[in-house]
Amino acid sequence: MTARFGFWASIAAMFFALAYGVPQILQVVGWLTFPLDEILIFLPSLALAPSFVLASAALYEATRPERRIWSLAGLVLALHYAVLVSIVYVIQLAAVIPAKLAGGSDIARLFSCCATGNPLTAVDLLGYTLMSLATLFAAGAVTENRPLAVVFIANGLIAPFLILQTAYPALIAIGALWLVTFPLAMALLAVHFRRAARA
């Protein structure tokens, strides 16, 4: 049961990460514009948060007792990430985007995410830093699955380049590697759970 649950939670996390990544890239190249770009970015991002927490919970439950501290650390960091970013995205979808559509307001100016120097941008970056650290710690729970552990670590090592974007926005060029490492990590985690279910 745990393996099946973990498989589908990992698939969901991978799907929503990709569903966020594609519109983000299309926005950067100018193929998506407001408000569709922000809606298509923030909706899957909001769904990604609980999906990753559920995948992390399944990993904790499936981890051998002697290595469980690593998956527990990953789960705690995943929860911290999910709370922070969920608040950010609900504010974007329920308040900021409608305010922009109404012609702009103090709400849009003060609470718009993804603008350099904006408070919620910093909160969002902190959230994704914690998410990356969650996979870094969780790598200690899957040492027997070398490919998964390596990708978890690779995703975790992106963490400094996420939080430091608050001071050095150009680091987004390195932080954007998350668009590859995180979905790959979730795909490999799904495979990990599928093998466990068959075993």
Side-chain angles (χ1 to χ4, degrees), residues 137-188:
F137 278 90
V142 293
T143 52
E144 76 284 356
N145 186 335
R146 186 171 174 80
L148 177 58
V150 167
V151 176
F152 267 14
I153 291 169
N155 189 71
L157 293 177
I158 294 173
F161 301 101
L162 295 170
I163 193 61
L164 288 175
Q165 286 177 49
T166 55
Y168 306 102
L171 289 176
I172 193 172
I174 299 173
L177 291 171
W178 179 95
L179 293 169
V180 175
T181 58
F182 184 80
L184 179 58
M186 292 301 98
L188 291 175

Side-chain angles (χ1 to χ4, degrees), residues 71-158:
S71 57
L72 178 59
L75 174 57
V76 169
L77 291 166
L79 282 166
H80 194 168
Y81 141 79
V83 170
L84 290 176
V85 301
S86 295
I87 292 169
V88 172
Y89 301 140
V90 165
I91 290 171
Q92 302 311 300
L93 291 164
V96 173
I97 293 173
K100 288 180 179 178
L101 288 171
S105 69
D106 288 341
I107 290 175
R109 188 171 65 258
L110 292 172
F111 295 103
S112 183
C113 183
C114 305
T116 303
N118 187 285
L120 288 187
T121 301
V123 173
D124 192 45
L125 288 170
L126 174 59
Y128 279 89
T129 301
L130 292 166
M131 175 200 251
S132 290
L133 291 175
T135 62
L136 183 63
F137 278 90
V142 293
T143 52
E144 76 284 356
N145 186 335
R146 186 171 174 80
L148 177 58
V150 167
V151 176
F152 267 14
I153 291 169
N155 189 71
L157 293 177
I158 294 173

